[in-house]
Structures are given as structure tokens and as C-alpha cells.
Amino acid sequence: MKLLPSLPYLDIRFFTSILLVMGLSTPGKAEITSLDTGNIEQILDNAGVALVNFYADWCRFSQMLHPIFEEASNLAREEYPDVTQVVFARVDCDQHSDIAQRYRISKYPTLKMFRNGMMMKREYRGQRSVAAIADFIRQQKVDPIKEVHSLEEVNQVDRSKRNIIGYFETKDSDGYHAFEKVANILRDDCMFFAAFGEVSESERFSGDNVIFKPTGETVPDMVFLGSLTNFDLSYAWSQDKCVPLVREITFENGEELTEEGIPFLILFHVKEDSESLEQFQQEVARQLISEKGSINFLHADCEKFRHPLLHIQKTPAECPVIAIDSFRHMYVFPEFKDVMVHGKLRQFVLDLHSGKLHREFHHGPDPTDSTPGQENMIEVVASNPPESSFQKLAPSETRYTILSRDRDEL
């Protein structure tokens, strides 16, 4: 007896994919490792690349991702049969809330990438399809180090990018293996090159050597003076060189930066205006280095981010403009030329942290010069500071279940 009518015009592969997305069928080959406090360090530390799905069973987006993630795992296992090369794993965040907190999970599902146990700052934010996830894994397996075969190639590297070049006697050395690990972790931030044997001999006057070539044709190279076999030292030095204090915000990395959860100090400038950017970078380094970690220092293309500028009643013609976006309101630095006044940019940031910017927008200037008994006589000036523009770049609620986070009133 037939239980279902014949479906001559329905592609059985399409029908199967629908079942997978609905969660009505589960691939039998899936090798998803469930992580807990007892096994997470051992599994991640021994994995060259690990993609971890942080999920909650009650989240409908997590439910939709499960079969796709399993199919992508099957495909990756066929291409990379070595179980330590590529690992697909998952964490039930309801069952293991301590792990979720450790990795700052703020939405479900979150796909984070790990290399040799170290979590990468850029999580997977691409399409939720088997093909897209599998392609992402392939990209992660591409060797980030380009071997150079002559010193002329080194002289021709793109100086608009940050480049790190290693000169080694042989690939089979502890120094080069540490260099490989650093390159894998910082592949999105720097270009990595390596020369070996006779090609590198002239640069190995005192042994194997690693140098950093900053952006700009006239900026001098910097030499790593620590032990090349010490991964921690090598990584810390390379990260400092590869990740600028003032980063560029784009529509591609806006969600990632917003999700870091700390306010933005942004220079809006015309793309060709390198002088204003250089001044801003110098003053951030001079006045605000101690605030690193409490605020993100960014620069943005005036034309690309025209809408946030209009939001604070500015136009690209008025650039350069400095502003703070606290994810609640936007505050404008009065005059760009004052950025060179010692301490003024720093005070602008401190006024954000103290709540002064918020108070003055709503209630007028603080009564700092009033005499005792006259505080109530100061006129209250009502104001409506512009709402945050960049919070709109945060993760979409049509793709994630966003966990509630208490925000301050800044």
C-alpha cells in the first residue's frame, strides 16, 4: 500500500534538504564533538582549526542551524580526514553557562573559530549554508605564509598593507613553527612572507630573523628582538604591529566592532585626507593609550558613512569630524583643530565615562562654578542628543536570538 503519492516532478535532493532544514532528518555521518568543562581544553588545544557552535535548544535559529552544521561537518571530514586538522564542535550554553560566559556569548547561535586552542576575534558571520561554511573552512586551511624566492620579491611587497617577513635557514625549525602559529592567528591583520636557505642568508647575519614592514614607503622596518621560539613573545610583538590602535570601520566589520560592546571614538575623514588621520592617530597614542580597552578608536570614510554624519548634523564637506557613539547617543567633539590641544581629546573621552556628556546634553552645563546655595538657580537647558547610529550595525535579530544586556545611560 502506498503511504505517499508519487512525486514525479519533485527533485528528491530538494525534498531532502527541506527535511534537513526543518530538523526532520539528521545525517548519519555527522561528527560533532560536544564540549564541556571536562574536555574543552584538550579538544581545542589539539585542533589545528575548530569551528564551535554555541547554541541553545530553545532558540529557533539554533534549531535551524543544527542540520546545516552537521552536513558541513560531514563535508569537511571528507576533505580533511585527519581528525586533528579540522574539528566541528558545539556547546549547549544552557547546560554549560560557564563556558558561554568565558567566551562572551551574547547571541545564539554563535560560531567561533579556534586555532590551537586560541579563540580568533573574528567569528563566522557568513551565510548559514553547507556550501558557505565548508568554503569558510577551506579558506582557513590555506597557508597564510607566502614563500619568497628572491629578496627582490620582498622589496616589492604591498606597502599599503602591514607585512611581516621571516628569514629562516630551514622550515624544520622551532622558530619557523612558532612563526606559522602566529601567522595563522593574525592572517586577517597582516601579510606574512618567509624566505629560506640561500635566499634568506644575507638577512640572517645573527641567526634567523623576523622583521615588520609598516604601511608607507618611507617608514623604517622594525626587527623582532625576542626569542623566535617563544610563541607568546612572538605573538604579542606581532599583534602589536599588525593590529593598529586606530582601526578603520567599514560595513563589513561594523557588526564585529559593535559586538565588542565598548563605545566608539570615531574620526570621520575624507579618504584622501591622510594628514587628519595621522594627527588623530598621533593624539590617540599620546593622550588615550591608557583608555585602550574601554573605548574603540576608529576612523571612517565620510562618504561611505554619510548617514551617521547627517545624523549629527554634519556633512562630508565639514570633515574631518570627531564624534563618540556610546550605542545610546552620539556626541560631537567641538572643533577638530582642538585635537592638538594637549589633554582636550582625553577630557572628551573622560567626560563620556563620567556621564558629563550625557548630563550636559540633557540638562545644560554642569554647575562647576556656582557658589553654594545657587545650584538651583542655574537654568536647565533641555536637549535631545542624537541617538546612536552604529548600534544599527549590531547583529540582526532576524538571524540571532540576542541575549539581553544591561547598558549604562551613556
Side-chain angles (χ1 to χ4, degrees):
M1 182 178 68
K2 287 186 177 180
L3 297 179
L4 287 174
S6 175
L7 300 172
Y9 301 108
L10 184 62
D11 188 328
I12 190 64
R13 290 171 299 179
F14 173 77
F15 183 63
T16 301
S17 66
I18 292 295
L19 290 176
L20 286 173
V21 172
M22 293 175 64
L24 300 178
S25 174
T26 302
K29 292 167 52 184
E31 296 181 29
I32 311 293
T33 304
S34 294
L35 301 180
D36 54 40
T37 53
N39 68 4
I40 186 169
E41 291 185 4
Q42 178 186 2
I43 290 172
L44 295 184
D45 287 350
N46 292 318
V49 169
L51 187 62
V52 181
N53 177 15
F54 293 86
Y55 72 95
D57 276 332
W58 50 263
C59 165
R60 68 185 180 95
F61 300 115
S62 295
Q63 295 167 8
M64 293 167 64
L65 181 61
H66 282 322
I68 297 169
F69 194 67
E70 290 176 348
E71 276 291 279
S73 170
N74 292 339
L75 194 55
R77 180 62 62 241
E78 291 176 4
E79 296 185 27
Y80 307 100
D82 183 345
V83 295
T84 63
Q85 270 196 301
V86 176
V87 170
F88 275 63
R90 59 188 168 201
V91 175
D92 183 334
C93 294
D94 282 340
Q95 296 294 321
H96 304 289
S97 58
D98 55 332
I99 297 178
Q101 291 174 4
R102 185 196 313 178
Y103 295 112
R104 303 184 299 279
I105 303 303
S106 59
K107 65 188 185 309
Y108 301 135
T110 292
L111 296 178
K112 285 192 176 289
M113 172 64 64
F114 292 78
R115 290 185 177 277
N116 303 111
M118 182 176 291
M119 185 179 75
M120 301 296 95
K121 64 181 181 180
R122 294 192 175 121
E123 65 188 55
Y124 177 77
R125 301 173 188 271
Q127 290 183 348
R128 294 176 183 179
S129 69
V130 174
I133 294 175
D135 189 55
F136 173 73
I137 293 297
R138 292 186 196 103
Q139 293 172 21
Q140 300 306 308
K141 293 300 293 178
V142 173
D143 190 345
I145 302 173
K146 179 183 177 183
E147 183 175 347
V148 297
H149 302 285
S150 71
L151 294 184
E152 182 62 28
E153 290 183 48
V154 174
N155 295 330
Q156 293 175 353
V157 298
D158 185 352
R159 293 306 294 264
S160 68
K161 298 178 180 179
R162 293 171 174 80
N163 301 282
I164 291 186
I165 302 156
Y167 299 96
F168 300 93
E169 183 177 2
T170 174
K171 286 186 178 181
D172 188 21
S173 68
D174 291 340
Y176 181 68
H177 293 326
F179 185 75
E180 282 185 304
K181 288 179 67 176
V182 171
N184 270 311
I185 293 168
L186 295 173
R187 60 169 60 210
D188 294 326
D189 301 296
C190 262
M191 303 294 292
F192 286 86
F193 301 86
F196 303 95
E198 292 183 3
V199 176
S200 66
E201 189 172 359
S202 62
E203 295 292 331
R204 291 187 288 106
F205 43 85
S206 59
D208 289 353
N209 189 26
V210 171
I211 67 165
F212 170 65
K213 287 184 175 293
T215 57
E217 295 290 342
T218 59
V219 184
D221 296 344
M222 303 178 192
V223 180
F224 176 57
L225 299 177
S227 169
L228 293 178
T229 60
N230 187 318
F231 166 75
D232 291 334
L233 283 178
S234 183
Y235 173 70
W237 180 84
S238 301
Q239 184 186 45
D240 179 64
K241 302 296 179 286
C242 291
V243 182
L245 182 61
V246 179
R247 294 177 284 176
E248 181 178 11
I249 185 169
T250 65
F251 290 113
E252 289 74 26
N253 68 4
E255 180 179 312
E256 171 192 321
L257 290 170
T258 300
E259 203 170 7
E260 291 181 14
I262 57 177
F264 294 167
L265 177 68
I266 309 175
L267 167 69
F268 295 92
H269 68 107
V270 176
K271 188 175 183 179
E272 294 76 20
D273 182 11
S274 58
E275 182 180 350
S276 295
L277 175 57
E278 195 171 311
Q279 287 180 348
F280 182 69
Q281 291 170 327
Q282 289 175 352
E283 292 308 312
V284 166
R286 186 162 69 103
Q287 300 185 40
L288 292 168
I289 191 68
S290 63
E291 295 300 314
K292 184 179 180 181
S294 66
I295 193 162
N296 267 328
F297 309 117
L298 307 170
H299 68 99
D301 186 324
C302 275
E303 289 295 336
K304 289 182 180 178
F305 287 91
R306 178 184 291 263
H307 176 71
L309 271 178
L310 295 176
H311 198 59
I312 55 176
Q313 300 181 337
K314 299 288 184 180
T315 67
E318 296 176 87
C319 286
V321 172
I322 296 174
I324 285 175
D325 191 305
S326 71
F327 300 148
R328 178 176 289 272
H329 296 303
M330 293 187 73
Y331 308 98
V332 182
F333 188 68
E335 295 286 343
F336 175 78
K337 61 182 177 60
D338 289 342
V339 74
M340 305 296 289
V341 178
H342 181 68
K344 197 148 189 177
L345 188 62
R346 175 176 173 77
Q347 191 60 52
F348 183 54
V349 172
L350 294 180
D351 287 347
L352 170 77
H353 294 327
S354 69
K356 182 179 179 182
L357 292 181
H358 183 76
R359 289 194 306 271
E360 290 194 343
F361 261 116
H362 286 289
H363 307 296
D366 278 354
T368 52
D369 298 324
S370 62
T371 56
Q374 290 185 324
E375 290 86 349
N376 295 331
M377 297 175 61
I378 295 177
E379 181 182 1
V380 175
V381 180
S383 175
N384 292 307
E387 292 184 353
S388 167
S389 277
F390 288 89
Q391 66 178 345
K392 298 184 178 89
L393 297 179
S396 167
E397 295 188 18
T398 62
R399 282 170 49 89
Y400 301 100
T401 300
I402 309 295
L403 303 184
S404 60
R405 287 176 289 183
D406 294 329
R407 293 197 181 276
D408 56 28
E409 289 296 314
L410 299 183

